[in-house]
Amino acid sequence: MKLKFGIVGGGGGFIGNVHRHGALMDDLAVLTAGCFSRNADTNHKYAKRWGVADSNRIYADYEEMAAVESAREDGIDFVSITTPNDTHYPIVKSFLQHGIHVMCDKPLALTAEQGRELAALAKEKDLLCGVSYTYTGYAMVRQAREMIDAGEIGKITCIQGEYPQEWLAVSLVSERSEQAVWRQDPKRSGASGCCADIGTHIECLIAKMTGLHPRRVIARFDRIPENIPLETNAQMLVEFEGNIPGMIWASQIAIGHETELNIRIFGEKGSVEWSHLRPWELRVTRINQPPQIYTTNRDYLAPSARELCRLPSGHIEGFYEAFGNLYHSFCMNLIAKKTGADPGTFQYPTVEDGVRGIEFVDACLASNAQNNIWIKVGQ
Amino acid sequence: MKLKFGIVGGGGGFIGNVHRHGALMDDLAVLTAGCFSRNADTNHKYAKRWGVADSNRIYADYEEMAAVESAREDGIDFVSITTPNDTHYPIVKSFLQHGIHVMCDKPLALTAEQGRELAALAKEKDLLCGVSYTYTGYAMVRQAREMIDAGEIGKITCIQGEYPQEWLAVSLVSERSEQAVWRQDPKRSGASGCCADIGTHIECLIAKMTGLHPRRVIARFDRIPENIPLETNAQMLVEFEGNIPGMIWASQIAIGHETELNIRIFGEKGSVEWSHLRPWELRVTRINQPPQIYTTNRDYLAPSARELCRLPSGHIEGFYEAFGNLYHSFCMNLIAKKTGADPGTFQYPTVEDGVRGIEFVDACLASNAQNNIWIKVGQ
Amino acid sequence: MKLKFGIVGGGGGFIGNVHRHGALMDDLAVLTAGCFSRNADTNHKYAKRWGVADSNRIYADYEEMAAVESAREDGIDFVSITTPNDTHYPIVKSFLQHGIHVMCDKPLALTAEQGRELAALAKEKDLLCGVSYTYTGYAMVRQAREMIDAGEIGKITCIQGEYPQEWLAVSLVSERSEQAVWRQDPKRSGASGCCADIGTHIECLIAKMTGLHPRRVIARFDRIPENIPLETNAQMLVEFEGNIPGMIWASQIAIGHETELNIRIFGEKGSVEWSHLRPWELRVTRINQPPQIYTTNRDYLAPSARELCRLPSGHIEGFYEAFGNLYHSFCMNLIAKKTGADPGTFQYPTVEDGVRGIEFVDACLASNAQNNIWIKVGQ
Amino acid sequence: MKLKFGIVGGGGGFIGNVHRHGALMDDLAVLTAGCFSRNADTNHKYAKRWGVADSNRIYADYEEMAAVESAREDGIDFVSITTPNDTHYPIVKSFLQHGIHVMCDKPLALTAEQGRELAALAKEKDLLCGVSYTYTGYAMVRQAREMIDAGEIGKITCIQGEYPQEWLAVSLVSERSEQAVWRQDPKRSGASGCCADIGTHIECLIAKMTGLHPRRVIARFDRIPENIPLETNAQMLVEFEGNIPGMIWASQIAIGHETELNIRIFGEKGSVEWSHLRPWELRVTRINQPPQIYTTNRDYLAPSARELCRLPSGHIEGFYEAFGNLYHSFCMNLIAKKTGADPGTFQYPTVEDGVRGIEFVDACLASNAQNNIWIKVGQ
């Protein structure tokens, strides 16, 4: 079966189209409806471009879309929400309330309270609600988890995560300023800048790679350059479950780095390290042995990692394909819900992951505000 | 406008789906017809999966498809040919004869004579005929060409190209044997193994990066392991136009290398180097200056290179997206033909590039057969 | 002129011989005396091997050596101290008191009080007293400083330093256990393990690269595996002068990493990054430009960096040669003191650097002991 | 025991001092005599700097040195020859005739005939005669050989060697022109430029890593830029013993590369790859397994490779230390000759290796002159 889905947003920025490609990639869904922009012309332009032929299913606002689609017998099965951050909460809520499954761009909401409300709503309504933490869709991230779960690196001893970017610093001297504006607007981005925007990617990746969540944090936020409203550099000491020490660094002013997301997990018997600089690799070291470079789609991988590979090893799958893996899992789970089919092993990030991300940011904000003391993460 | 296209092949292997994604990626075409497999069940399974709803446009054989589609008023604008190598020639010929534009998987044909016939036919019929040399679709390959054309590395002095793979060696000890079988069958692959399969990628990439073509070659082919029908290791001295020395190495038994396609172009004033290990980078060195690492989608790139980037710098675009760039150019040129619109700067590889690839292989075969003497490339 | 020098220690471990080679490398000094081991046989074996011919100048203990050499008209100009950490303080003190210049292996002493006493003593006696922070001797470390001082990266915004090693984890499962024993003995190593052993290298390198010193720290120490006496993993938030945020991570249980010392300095206009994985390189990025890879002994380097290169670019100089650069500067300064000659630009790390290292460790120890609050560094 | 040695040359260029350090590094030899320059002032300046105290042992010409030293009861055991290429043959000959062992800088001589004469003379006189192919002294080069000999990569199938440098191109636009002059003077360098200068390093390294020698070559030489007397770019197809295909590329105009010596050895069961970009690593791949990164001085290395390591893993040993390993072996063999002691496993390159290098160049010269046909290497 093929699922029907709609998109809210997408007629601006690049991420809407990434969601669309992700949902279409493995032929599990068909784009059937949308509210692509508040601007009517843009809305219809994208509807045409993306092949939404039925003009009754091109909506001027998301509430109408949620209401009408939920009332149709052939209404959409799920919706992808790709609007600016501050609008996620009301839109997700609206679709959930109308009984439509949701895949929402990160972040789920601007406050943990909102997030928990959405999680409860999804649970109450028995609906799938995913949050698109892109990098968790890479095959080698999954391979890391399989190896850790199998005990290959032993008890985890230390976790180092970082995500240096330069784009915000660069945008001040180049043409790419539009995104910089809204990313730095607390009304649209929330109270945290880079910690919320990219720090949460680190937190979620570590959780997916290890199964471990932060228990408490010390965070220092800096606004660089000085006249900027939200932090652009965030440095954290993080204590994970089991008293495991960790460090997280997120920066948008790290000149010389584009999306250099690096996660290193150390254990008593070995380590696994993943870098977005070469996401098809996993560096694996067993104690007192030479480091090994695992790559995608090889015989020696865990089946659940290999399932995330579409191309022969060495043929690069990137950002779109990682997104495709999130949607693949989301769709398979939705189909499974409807038909009882096997949803597969890999799991897309859920509304609970989304809540955890916000709780992590909230704890960091509190630590930063209180002279960098330890703050408990979550309730 | 959106073009209508069909696919021949695709119901086996992975490359058919790569073509499909490439053609769909930028919403310039819609899949309307197909002959996905000689097996009827497979044919219909893929038609359903890929959304070809009209059963009249699912064809049991390609000749019928060419005939019927060309006779329909709403027939397909172009066809993607993704069948095994030995079938390319008759299928391309059939569609061209019926006046349908063609994008053919590499190689264009098994002999240069066939290739030249197809080139002449396309010219006579005034039809587009592309050959999908994937790697030419990477943005940084185009950036190299722009810099070379602008004289940034001066007069070219030396060219080094290589494409080591291990897959054929590995397939003998692992599960991936099916492809190994037909790749090693001269009836289906032609008289050359790895030189035709991947050596031509090097030759075409160099041509696209520099504008230079091989004038003569010395080639040595080795069949490793010994009992294998076609060469799996090919080493060439290549003299390019202007008496420029070059070396090309193609191997499918280079254990430890997956798709490590490396092209290094040296000039009197600098060098540019591109590696498929990190295709979003271009290593640029100006004489007596530190090497620089150019990356995708940056302000400092040439516009024609930047046009090939869909995502912000640092967000990886891979094999699918490179294919998408070939199809983008192909479709824009086809639309331009129909409407007079601007086709853009970047050019997909054409039937002439396909002929050149075969002529290169033919010269290598001849040199290898004649004790490795110099053989002129082409007529 | 050639200086005469002696060595205390060296008849065990590898570092004594590194000091000896460093002092001899540029023919500015001759080994004339020594107390190479408390074991008489070992002492004489090394005296013979290292060419100390005069048996009167082979000493059974360092105090005798200091006394006798200072009394000789042709006594040594300086002494290299390469004994275990806990003995540095009394030995340095003894030689300084006898008016002999000192180059001491890191750390200078076990407590800041001891360190400050030695600094005061050296000052009072007008003696050179160096501390061998090896990595500061690399040419590209100096290049970083020159570029930062010249304003090439603008105002510094963020500093990230790390030194992951695996050796202590490995030593528990392999043959290399002897060093592990004393490194983990608080009596011999002091109250801190890896922070003192390698964290101080990071602190000193940052100071040499930027001119900036830590003002306060939050530190978390972990003893991994659990039954170990001293911390093997240390994570620090560091605030540098001018409110600049920094992170430092030092670990001896980071399986998969040997001496992966990485320092990244970010500024408003660019960044410089140095890694011991390829110490002859400096990665330099100017804002909105491609990263550049500077290398040793090139025309484009600052003269003071180029002076530290002995070999043509691309010819690797490593650990011995970095040591040689420290001794080169030390000897040139000593010769300058004696003759008025020009000592050159590059400066070896001094007793003040040694004190700063201990003060840094003390602040980290205090923060770790007090629930990871901010602790001021130094007095 | 300590050997006594002398040096011919060294008072110019950097390589003389590298030889001196190499010979002194492990305290097996003492510099006792020398003829450091034809210029008397330079000669004495270096004698003083390098501690040759006895003015009777500072010689104005090498023939006198050979004669006088061989006549002294306490004469030198061996001599290091570090003069320009064209003088190697007469100087080596002179010392051998006087019964003095020789370590000669590469190349051994300018013609194969001269080389064979020297080899015969050394044999006749029963003297050690080494040729300092630096890179063969790296530990991981030795590790490669041990693994190949142990059958770990199976039967060798393909060999790829390259040594791109940029220095000659750069020297034309920068200050480093002096060496460029003599390197490009056929009277001083011989009939071959970069093939002799660096191509031989590749040939020798491959021999040391695999035990295999070239049987025949096709070579193409290019003089770039055009007005230059000797080839600066050399491209070779090389057939090794056992019909094994190989490629060798040597260039001194490869802008962007300093000393990027890369050797890749492929076998039926795996591969080993060594790069001078990170000489303390060996990349090892076993078929259908992830590549592994072996590093220096680890438990898992072969003993004979580990013997070549002086420092703990991760502490970089470079060019000087590789030279030290050549001299270590040379001295141990000389001591063994005198005392019967065990010379160790690792073997310095000998006069036979030197002859092979010249024969390789001669064959390349002949192939280049004869329209690039196959030419047999050696007699």
Side-chain angles (χ1 to χ4, degrees):
Chain A
M1 74 173 295
K2 288 204 189 184
L3 301 167
K4 295 178 289 297
F5 78 109
I7 294 176
V8 180
F14 71 94
I15 204 68
N17 198 27
V18 173
H19 276 267
R20 183 178 70 105
H21 276 301
L24 295 174
M25 188 164 287
D26 296 326
D27 303 298
L28 298 171
V30 179
L31 181 61
T32 317
C35 168
F36 306 110
S37 175
R38 298 176 201 175
N39 177 295
D41 286 351
T42 304
N43 196 13
H44 281 83
K45 187 180 78 175
Y46 276 85
K48 190 174 173 194
R49 180 181 299 171
W50 292 350
V52 179
D54 182 352
S55 64
N56 289 324
R57 302 184 83 168
I58 308 166
Y59 300 93
D61 75 72
Y62 71 85
E63 293 187 309
E64 185 198 352
M65 177 173 165
V68 173
E69 287 291 327
S70 66
R72 289 179 72 117
E73 196 151 331
D74 65 346
I76 55 173
D77 295 296
F78 71 90
V79 66
S80 297
I81 296 169
T82 72
T83 52
N85 293 358
D86 57 323
T87 66
H88 291 179
Y89 164 72
I91 304 179
V92 173
K93 188 173 173 182
S94 180
F95 281 90
L96 291 178
Q97 283 175 329
H98 284 90
I100 295 173
H101 303 277
V102 170
M103 175 63 94
C104 182
D105 203 64
K106 180 199 67 70
L108 173 63
L110 292 193
T111 71
E113 196 175 28
Q114 293 172 344
R116 285 190 286 263
E117 183 191 339
L118 297 176
L121 184 57
K123 193 174 180 188
E124 178 199 324
K125 297 273 191 176
D126 192 24
L127 294 167
L128 304 192
C129 185
V131 181
S132 58
Y133 286 103
T134 327
Y135 308 101
T136 66
Y138 280 104
M140 301 315 274
V141 165
R142 180 68 204 167
Q143 175 66 16
R145 176 61 175 274
E146 292 282 355
M147 296 182 77
I148 287 170
D149 282 356
E152 297 208 34
I153 67 167
K155 187 172 170 295
I156 291 175
T157 55
C158 178
I159 296 171
Q160 300 286 124
E162 63 174 27
Y163 193 164
Q165 293 183 332
E166 66 179 356
W167 77 267
L168 215 142
V170 169
S171 73
L172 301 172
V173 297
S174 76
E175 72 222 43
R176 279 184 293 164
S177 49
E178 202 177 332
Q179 189 162 141
V181 169
W182 81 256
R183 286 283 187 200
Q184 277 294 314
D185 178 352
K187 284 186 195 147
R188 301 173 71 187
S189 282
S192 164
C194 87
C195 181
D197 190 26
I198 58 174
T200 52
H201 277 302
I202 307 172
E203 178 268 331
C204 187
L205 259 180
I206 291 171
K208 294 300 177 188
M209 289 172 78
T210 64
L212 296 173
H213 299 288
R215 274 297 164 246
R216 55 176 191 158
V217 296
I218 286 172
R220 176 188 172 134
F221 287 2
D222 284 88
R223 292 179 287 167
I224 302 164
E226 282 175 33
N227 58 349
I228 216 155
L230 295 175
E231 96 281 2
T232 50
N233 196 71
Q235 300 174 321
M236 281 80 84
L237 298 188
V238 182
E239 185 173 291
F240 291 88
E241 295 163 303
N243 197 29
I244 296 165
M247 295 177 94
I248 287 182
W249 174 48
S251 180
Q252 291 168 330
I253 52 91
I255 294 172
H257 299 265
E258 290 179 344
T259 53
E260 216 163 301
L261 181 46
N262 300 307
I263 310 288
R264 297 178 283 184
I265 315 286
F266 300 95
E268 292 190 345
K269 292 165 53 185
S271 65
V272 292
E273 305 179 59
W274 182 82
S275 170
H276 189 248
L277 281 183
R278 278 169 71 175
W280 55 89
E281 294 184 356
L282 187 71
R283 192 173 185 268
V284 175
T285 309
R286 289 176 176 82
I287 193 163
N288 210 23
Q289 294 300 321
Q292 293 177 286
I293 311 299
Y294 282 53
T295 51
T296 48
N297 217 355
R298 299 300 300 251
D299 293 0
Y300 52 72
L301 295 188
S304 82
R306 202 161 179 188
E307 280 167 20
L308 301 181
C309 306
R310 289 171 187 79
L311 294 173
S313 49
H315 293 74
I316 295 168
E317 298 186 65
F319 196 81
Y320 284 105
E321 291 73 46
F323 243 88
N325 286 335
L326 303 188
Y327 272 98
H328 187 99
S329 165
F330 181 85
C331 292
M332 291 300 282
N333 274 275
L334 190 41
I335 292 168
K337 204 174 186 67
K338 291 170 181 281
T339 68
D342 177 8
T345 315
F346 175 71
Q347 283 295 316
Y348 64 95
T350 66
V351 68
E352 280 79 24
D353 295 306
V355 171
R356 280 200 179 98
I358 306 168
E359 288 175 344
F360 174 71
V361 173
D362 282 352
C364 292
L365 279 163
S367 178
N368 179 59
Q370 296 172 55
N371 198 27
N372 321 108
I373 57 168
W374 283 113
I375 298 289
K376 183 169 174 291
V377 177
Q379 293 183 302
Chain B
M1 74 173 296
K2 288 203 188 185
L3 301 167
K4 294 177 290 296
F5 79 108
I7 295 176
V8 181
F14 71 94
I15 204 68
N17 199 26
V18 172
H19 276 268
R20 184 178 69 104
H21 277 301
L24 295 175
M25 187 163 289
D26 297 324
D27 303 298
L28 299 170
V30 179
L31 181 61
T32 316
C35 168
F36 306 110
S37 175
R38 299 175 200 177
N39 176 297
D41 286 351
T42 305
N43 195 14
H44 281 83
K45 187 180 78 176
Y46 276 86
K48 190 175 172 194
R49 180 181 298 171
W50 293 349
V52 178
D54 182 352
S55 65
N56 290 323
R57 303 185 81 166
I58 307 166
Y59 300 93
D61 75 72
Y62 71 86
E63 294 188 309
E64 185 198 352
M65 177 173 165
V68 173
E69 288 290 328
S70 65
R72 289 179 71 118
E73 196 150 329
D74 65 346
I76 54 173
D77 296 296
F78 72 92
V79 67
S80 297
I81 297 170
T82 72
T83 52
N85 293 357
D86 57 323
T87 66
H88 291 179
Y89 164 72
I91 304 180
V92 172
K93 188 173 173 180
S94 180
F95 280 91
L96 290 178
Q97 283 174 329
H98 283 91
I100 295 173
H101 304 277
V102 170
M103 176 63 94
C104 182
D105 204 62
K106 179 199 65 72
L108 174 63
L110 293 193
T111 73
E113 194 175 28
Q114 294 172 342
R116 284 190 286 263
E117 183 192 339
L118 296 177
L121 184 57
K123 192 174 179 187
E124 177 199 326
K125 297 272 191 177
D126 192 25
L127 293 167
L128 303 192
C129 185
V131 180
S132 59
Y133 287 103
T134 329
Y135 307 101
T136 66
Y138 280 104
M140 301 316 274
V141 166
R142 180 67 204 169
Q143 175 67 16
R145 176 60 174 275
E146 291 283 355
M147 296 181 78
I148 287 170
D149 282 356
E152 297 207 34
I153 69 166
K155 186 172 170 294
I156 291 174
T157 56
C158 179
I159 296 171
Q160 300 286 125
E162 64 174 28
Y163 193 164
Q165 293 184 332
E166 66 178 356
W167 77 268
L168 215 142
V170 169
S171 74
L172 300 172
V173 298
S174 74
E175 72 222 42
R176 279 185 291 165
S177 51
E178 202 177 330
Q179 189 163 142
V181 170
W182 81 256
R183 287 282 187 201
Q184 277 294 315
D185 179 352
K187 283 186 195 148
R188 300 173 72 186
S189 281
S192 164
C194 86
C195 181
D197 189 26
I198 58 174
T200 52
H201 277 302
I202 306 173
E203 177 269 329
C204 188
L205 258 180
I206 291 171
K208 294 300 179 190
M209 289 172 79
T210 64
L212 297 173
H213 299 286
R215 275 295 164 248
R216 53 177 192 158
V217 296
I218 287 172
R220 176 188 171 134
F221 287 1
D222 283 271
R223 292 179 287 166
I224 302 164
E226 282 174 33
N227 58 349
I228 216 156
L230 296 175
E231 96 280 1
T232 49
N233 196 70
Q235 300 174 321
M236 282 79 85
L237 297 189
V238 182
E239 185 175 290
F240 291 89
E241 295 163 302
N243 197 29
I244 296 165
M247 295 178 94
I248 288 182
W249 174 48
S251 181
Q252 292 168 330
I253 53 90
I255 294 171
H257 299 264
E258 290 179 342
T259 53
E260 215 163 302
L261 181 46
N262 300 307
I263 310 288
R264 296 177 284 183
I265 316 286
F266 300 96
E268 292 190 344
K269 291 165 53 184
S271 65
V272 292
E273 306 178 60
W274 181 82
S275 170
H276 189 247
L277 281 183
R278 277 168 70 175
W280 56 88
E281 293 185 356
L282 187 71
R283 192 174 185 266
V284 176
T285 310
R286 290 176 175 82
I287 194 163
N288 210 23
Q289 294 300 321
Q292 294 177 286
I293 310 299
Y294 284 52
T295 52
T296 47
N297 217 356
R298 300 299 300 252
D299 294 359
Y300 52 71
L301 294 188
S304 81
R306 203 161 178 187
E307 280 166 20
L308 301 180
C309 306
R310 290 171 187 80
L311 293 173
S313 49
H315 294 73
I316 296 168
E317 298 186 65
F319 196 80
Y320 285 105
E321 290 73 46
F323 242 88
N325 286 335
L326 303 188
Y327 271 99
H328 187 99
S329 165
F330 181 85
C331 291
M332 291 300 282
N333 275 275
L334 190 41
I335 292 168
K337 205 174 184 68
K338 290 170 180 282
T339 68
D342 178 10
T345 315
F346 175 69
Q347 282 295 316
Y348 64 95
T350 66
V351 68
E352 281 78 24
D353 295 305
V355 172
R356 281 200 178 99
I358 306 168
E359 289 176 342
F360 173 73
V361 174
D362 282 352
C364 292
L365 280 163
S367 178
N368 180 59
Q370 296 172 54
N371 198 25
N372 323 107
I373 57 167
W374 284 113
I375 298 290
K376 182 168 174 291
V377 178
Q379 293 182 301
Chain C
M1 73 173 296
K2 289 204 188 184
L3 301 167
K4 295 179 289 297
F5 79 108
I7 293 175
V8 181
F14 70 93
I15 204 67
N17 199 26
V18 173
H19 276 267
R20 184 177 70 103
H21 276 301
L24 295 174
M25 187 163 289
D26 296 326
D27 303 297
L28 298 170
V30 179
L31 181 62
T32 316
C35 166
F36 306 109
S37 174
R38 297 175 203 177
N39 177 295
D41 286 350
T42 304
N43 196 11
H44 281 83
K45 187 179 79 175
Y46 277 86
K48 191 174 172 194
R49 179 182 298 172
W50 292 350
V52 179
D54 182 352
S55 66
N56 289 325
R57 302 184 82 167
I58 308 166
Y59 299 94
D61 75 73
Y62 71 84
E63 292 187 310
E64 186 198 351
M65 178 173 163
V68 174
E69 287 292 326
S70 66
R72 289 179 71 117
E73 196 152 333
D74 65 348
I76 55 173
D77 295 296
F78 72 90
V79 66
S80 297
I81 296 169
T82 72
T83 51
N85 293 357
D86 58 323
T87 65
H88 291 179
Y89 163 71
I91 304 179
V92 173
K93 187 173 174 181
S94 180
F95 279 92
L96 290 178
Q97 283 174 330
H98 284 91
I100 294 173
H101 303 278
V102 170
M103 176 63 93
C104 182
D105 202 62
K106 178 198 68 72
L108 173 64
L110 292 192
T111 71
E113 196 176 27
Q114 292 172 344
R116 285 190 286 262
E117 183 192 339
L118 296 177
L121 184 57
K123 192 175 181 187
E124 178 200 325
K125 295 274 192 175
D126 193 24
L127 293 166
L128 303 193
C129 185
V131 180
S132 59
Y133 286 103
T134 326
Y135 308 101
T136 67
Y138 280 103
M140 301 316 273
V141 166
R142 180 67 204 168
Q143 175 67 16
R145 177 60 175 275
E146 291 282 355
M147 295 181 79
I148 288 170
D149 283 355
E152 298 207 34
I153 67 166
K155 185 171 172 295
I156 291 175
T157 55
C158 178
I159 297 171
Q160 299 287 123
E162 64 173 27
Y163 193 164
Q165 293 184 332
E166 67 178 356
W167 77 267
L168 216 141
V170 169
S171 73
L172 300 173
V173 297
S174 76
E175 73 221 40
R176 280 184 292 165
S177 51
E178 200 176 333
Q179 189 163 139
V181 169
W182 82 255
R183 287 281 186 202
Q184 276 293 315
D185 178 353
K187 283 186 195 147
R188 300 174 72 188
S189 281
S192 163
C194 86
C195 182
D197 190 26
I198 58 174
T200 52
H201 277 301
I202 306 173
E203 177 269 329
C204 188
L205 259 181
I206 292 171
K208 293 301 178 189
M209 288 172 78
T210 64
L212 297 172
H213 299 287
R215 273 299 162 247
R216 55 177 192 157
V217 296
I218 287 172
R220 176 188 170 134
F221 287 1
D222 283 271
R223 291 179 288 168
I224 303 165
E226 281 173 33
N227 58 350
I228 216 156
L230 295 175
E231 97 279 2
T232 50
N233 195 72
Q235 300 174 320
M236 281 81 84
L237 298 188
V238 183
E239 184 174 290
F240 291 89
E241 296 164 302
N243 196 30
I244 296 166
M247 295 177 94
I248 289 183
W249 174 47
S251 181
Q252 292 167 330
I253 51 91
I255 294 171
H257 299 265
E258 289 179 343
T259 53
E260 215 163 303
L261 182 45
N262 299 307
I263 310 288
R264 296 178 284 183
I265 316 286
F266 300 95
E268 292 190 344
K269 291 165 52 185
S271 65
V272 293
E273 305 178 60
W274 182 81
S275 170
H276 189 246
L277 280 184
R278 278 169 70 175
W280 55 88
E281 293 184 357
L282 187 70
R283 191 174 185 269
V284 176
T285 309
R286 289 175 177 84
I287 193 163
N288 210 22
Q289 294 299 323
Q292 294 176 285
I293 310 300
Y294 284 52
T295 52
T296 48
N297 217 356
R298 298 300 301 251
D299 294 359
Y300 53 71
L301 296 188
S304 82
R306 203 162 178 187
E307 280 167 20
L308 300 181
C309 306
R310 290 171 186 79
L311 293 173
S313 49
H315 293 73
I316 295 168
E317 299 186 65
F319 196 80
Y320 284 105
E321 291 73 45
F323 243 88
N325 286 335
L326 303 189
Y327 271 99
H328 187 98
S329 164
F330 182 85
C331 291
M332 291 300 283
N333 274 275
L334 190 43
I335 291 168
K337 204 174 184 69
K338 291 171 181 281
T339 68
D342 177 8
T345 315
F346 175 70
Q347 283 294 317
Y348 64 95
T350 66
V351 68
E352 279 79 23
D353 296 305
V355 172
R356 281 200 179 97
I358 306 167
E359 289 175 342
F360 173 73
V361 174
D362 282 352
C364 292
L365 281 163
S367 178
N368 180 58
Q370 296 171 56
N371 198 27
N372 322 108
I373 58 168
W374 283 114
I375 298 288
K376 184 171 174 287
V377 177
Q379 293 182 305
Chain D
M1 72 173 297
K2 287 204 189 185
L3 301 167
K4 293 178 291 296
F5 79 108
I7 293 175
V8 181
F14 71 92
I15 203 68
N17 198 27
V18 172
H19 276 267
R20 184 178 70 103
H21 277 301
L24 295 174
M25 186 163 290
D26 295 326
D27 303 298
L28 299 170
V30 180
L31 181 62
T32 317
C35 167
F36 305 110
S37 175
R38 297 175 202 176
N39 175 296
D41 286 351
T42 305
N43 196 12
H44 281 83
K45 186 180 78 174
Y46 276 86
K48 191 174 174 195
R49 181 181 298 172
W50 291 350
V52 179
D54 182 351
S55 65
N56 290 325
R57 302 184 82 167
I58 308 166
Y59 299 94
D61 76 71
Y62 72 82
E63 293 187 310
E64 186 198 352
M65 178 173 164
V68 174
E69 287 291 327
S70 66
R72 289 179 72 116
E73 196 150 332
D74 65 346
I76 55 174
D77 295 297
F78 73 89
V79 66
S80 297
I81 296 169
T82 72
T83 52
N85 293 357
D86 58 322
T87 65
H88 291 179
Y89 164 71
I91 303 179
V92 172
K93 187 174 174 180
S94 180
F95 280 91
L96 290 178
Q97 283 174 331
H98 283 91
I100 294 173
H101 304 278
V102 170
M103 175 64 93
C104 182
D105 202 62
K106 178 198 66 73
L108 173 64
L110 293 192
T111 72
E113 195 176 28
Q114 292 172 343
R116 285 190 287 262
E117 183 191 339
L118 296 176
L121 184 57
K123 192 175 181 186
E124 178 200 324
K125 296 275 191 175
D126 192 24
L127 293 167
L128 303 193
C129 185
V131 180
S132 59
Y133 286 103
T134 327
Y135 307 101
T136 66
Y138 280 103
M140 300 316 273
V141 166
R142 181 68 204 168
Q143 174 67 15
R145 177 59 175 275
E146 291 282 356
M147 295 181 78
I148 288 170
D149 282 356
E152 298 207 34
I153 67 166
K155 186 172 172 294
I156 290 175
T157 56
C158 178
I159 297 171
Q160 299 287 124
E162 65 174 27
Y163 193 164
Q165 293 183 332
E166 66 179 357
W167 78 267
L168 215 142
V170 169
S171 73
L172 300 173
V173 297
S174 75
E175 73 223 41
R176 280 184 292 165
S177 51
E178 202 177 332
Q179 190 163 139
V181 169
W182 83 255
R183 287 282 186 201
Q184 276 294 314
D185 179 353
K187 284 187 196 148
R188 300 172 72 187
S189 281
S192 164
C194 87
C195 182
D197 190 26
I198 58 174
T200 52
H201 277 303
I202 306 173
E203 177 269 329
C204 188
L205 259 181
I206 292 171
K208 293 301 178 189
M209 288 172 79
T210 64
L212 297 173
H213 299 287
R215 272 299 163 246
R216 55 177 191 157
V217 296
I218 287 172
R220 176 188 171 133
F221 286 2
D222 284 271
R223 292 179 287 167
I224 302 165
E226 283 174 32
N227 57 350
I228 216 156
L230 296 175
E231 97 280 2
T232 51
N233 196 70
Q235 300 175 320
M236 281 80 84
L237 297 188
V238 182
E239 185 174 289
F240 291 89
E241 296 163 302
N243 196 30
I244 296 166
M247 295 177 94
I248 289 183
W249 174 47
S251 181
Q252 292 168 330
I253 51 92
I255 294 172
H257 299 265
E258 290 179 343
T259 53
E260 215 162 304
L261 182 46
N262 299 306
I263 310 288
R264 295 176 286 182
I265 316 286
F266 300 95
E268 292 190 343
K269 292 165 52 184
S271 65
V272 292
E273 306 178 60
W274 181 82
S275 170
H276 189 247
L277 281 183
R278 277 168 71 175
W280 56 88
E281 293 185 357
L282 187 71
R283 192 173 185 268
V284 175
T285 309
R286 290 176 175 83
I287 193 163
N288 210 23
Q289 294 299 322
Q292 293 177 286
I293 311 299
Y294 283 52
T295 51
T296 49
N297 218 355
R298 299 299 300 251
D299 293 0
Y300 53 70
L301 294 188
S304 82
R306 202 162 179 186
E307 281 167 19
L308 300 181
C309 306
R310 291 170 186 81
L311 293 173
S313 50
H315 293 73
I316 295 168
E317 299 186 65
F319 196 81
Y320 284 106
E321 291 72 48
F323 242 88
N325 286 336
L326 303 189
Y327 271 99
H328 187 98
S329 165
F330 181 85
C331 290
M332 291 301 283
N333 275 276
L334 190 42
I335 291 168
K337 203 175 185 68
K338 290 170 181 282
T339 68
D342 178 9
T345 315
F346 175 69
Q347 282 294 318
Y348 63 96
T350 66
V351 68
E352 280 79 23
D353 296 305
V355 171
R356 281 200 179 97
I358 306 168
E359 289 175 342
F360 173 73
V361 173
D362 282 353
C364 291
L365 280 163
S367 178
N368 180 59
Q370 295 171 58
N371 197 27
N372 322 106
I373 58 168
W374 283 113
I375 298 289
K376 183 170 175 290
V377 178
Q379 293 183 303

